[in-house]
């Protein structure tokens, strides 16, 4: 057990595979409480930190909303303000990439917020949940883990499903201790001041032979749009009129659908190239993949930002300078 002077970690349970148990009709669904999840974790007595559990949601992560994560960010801020040294979020892995990145944008403080989950539910042989929770608690209690980034899911079922495609892992848990290998050059945070402003943002991927029909159908339906473009930020020439029309009405961001590397700003120059799109008022996402670009766009719009502020935010996040 830990003493009264030990750091405290706030744990928020949201459900997901890690909290699922078999039902009478077959299959699994979220059922375990946060306390039940922690009771299955060996080695907590040696953590060196107190743990306070909050059952925030109990749903599969595909059913989480952006509003849920805004509310979660506020709950985390309250716990950190009351003296918690860090926070752990336990949720399903289907949308763990989105939750982690959105929390990264909304959390402006230095305290670590660690998001974890599991690929194997507790009824399977070799569930990975307990070890993942323990590692998350060890990371959240460590003074080393501050102002760090998030990961992405890169496999549907593998326990090695999480990657950092542009830079690799920033660190590891070794013998119960956080060991950093590198540290990000900087962090972009855009906490929303005041009440959450409901907005609708979309994500449309361009495909081989695309004629822009989905883009035309998007007119008047969104407050902002992200386009998952080919390669370094290119789209079929046939889609350019629809994109230009949309960019005249709402902020439109183009990101690379490859999920790795940056869109360009000034290399290619033809209809549908990055130079053409930037010239028509679109915003480059830089190193952000389409999923993360949509979340940054959403947070900026929810905070009332205009196009110039949104473009500046994407530049700060590693976007093109053009």
């Amino acid at each position: 057990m830990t003493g009264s002077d030990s750091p405290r970690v706030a744990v928020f349970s949201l459900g997901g595979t890690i909290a699922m148990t078999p039902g009478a009709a077959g299959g699994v669904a979220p059922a375990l409480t946060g306390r039940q999840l922690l009771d299955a974790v060996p080695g907590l007595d040696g953590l060196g930190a107190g743990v306070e559990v909050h059952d925030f949601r109990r749903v599969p992560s595909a059913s989480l909303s952006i509003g849920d994560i805004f509310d979660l960010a506020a709950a985390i801020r309250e716990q950190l303000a009351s003296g918690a040294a860090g926070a752990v979020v336990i949720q399903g892995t289907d949308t763990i990439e989105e939750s982690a990145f959105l929390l990264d944008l909304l959390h402006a403080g230095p305290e670590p917020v660690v998001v974890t989950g599991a690929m194997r539910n507790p009824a399977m042989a070799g569930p990975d949940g307990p070890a993942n929770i323990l590692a998350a608690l060890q990371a959240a209690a460590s003074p080393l883990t501050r102002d760090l980034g998030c990961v992405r899911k890169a496999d549907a079922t593998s326990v090695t499903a999480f990657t950092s495609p542009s830079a690799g892992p920033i660190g590891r848990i070794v013998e119960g201790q956080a060991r950093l290998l590198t540290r990000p050059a900087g962090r972009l945070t855009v906490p929303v001041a005041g009440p959450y402003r409901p907005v609708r943002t979309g994500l449309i991927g361009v495909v081989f032979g695309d004629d822009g029909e989905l883009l035309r159908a998007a007119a008047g339906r969104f407050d902002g749009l992200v386009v998952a473009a080919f390669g370094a930020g290119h789209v079929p020439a046939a889609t350019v009129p629809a994109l230009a029309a949309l960019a005249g009405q709402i902020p439109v961001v183009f990101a690379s659908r490859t999920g790795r590397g940056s869109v360009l700003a000034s290399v290619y120059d033809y209809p549908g190239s990055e130079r053409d799109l930037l010239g028509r008022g679109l915003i480059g996402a830089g190193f952000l993949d389409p999923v993360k670009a949509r979340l940054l766009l959403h947070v900026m719009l929810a905070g009332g930002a205009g196009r110039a502020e949104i473009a500046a935010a994407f530049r700060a996040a590693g976007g093109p300078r053009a």
Side-chain angles (χ1 to χ4, degrees), residues 177-205:
Q177 300 293 321
R179 306 281 184 87
L180 296 188
L181 304 174
T182 185
R183 183 176 286 275
R187 268 185 78 209
L188 172 68
T189 61
V190 284
V192 177
Y196 168 63
R197 175 174 174 256
V199 295
R200 175 174 290 165
T201 52
L203 170 56
I204 295 178

Side-chain angles (χ1 to χ4, degrees), residues 20-154:
M20 292 188 181
T21 59
V28 294
L32 299 178
T33 66
R35 175 47 59 187
Q36 288 172 314
L37 289 173
L38 263 68
D39 286 345
V41 177
L44 285 185
D45 287 345
L47 180 63
V51 177
E52 185 174 294
V53 184
H54 306 268
D55 284 307
F56 191 78
R57 299 285 188 274
R58 198 179 303 168
V59 296
S61 66
S63 294
L64 290 171
S65 69
I66 291 178
D68 286 330
I69 305 305
F70 271 77
D71 292 343
L72 175 62
I76 290 173
R77 283 195 297 272
E78 289 179 4
Q79 290 301 311
L80 297 177
S82 70
V88 168
V89 176
I90 304 172
Q91 70 157 80
T93 60
D94 279 351
T95 61
I96 199 169
E97 175 182 358
E98 285 94 330
S99 296
F101 183 68
L102 187 49
L103 287 170
D104 199 43
L105 292 175
L106 297 174
H107 172 54
E111 303 91 347
V113 176
V114 184
V115 186
T116 193
M119 296 300 294
R120 295 173 177 159
N121 70 72
M124 297 179 70
D128 51 323
N132 291 349
I133 292 173
L134 180 59
L137 289 167
Q138 290 164 339
S142 172
L144 295 178
T145 55
R146 295 176 179 264
D147 294 311
L148 304 179
C150 55
V151 299
R152 62 176 294 178
K153 188 173 182 179

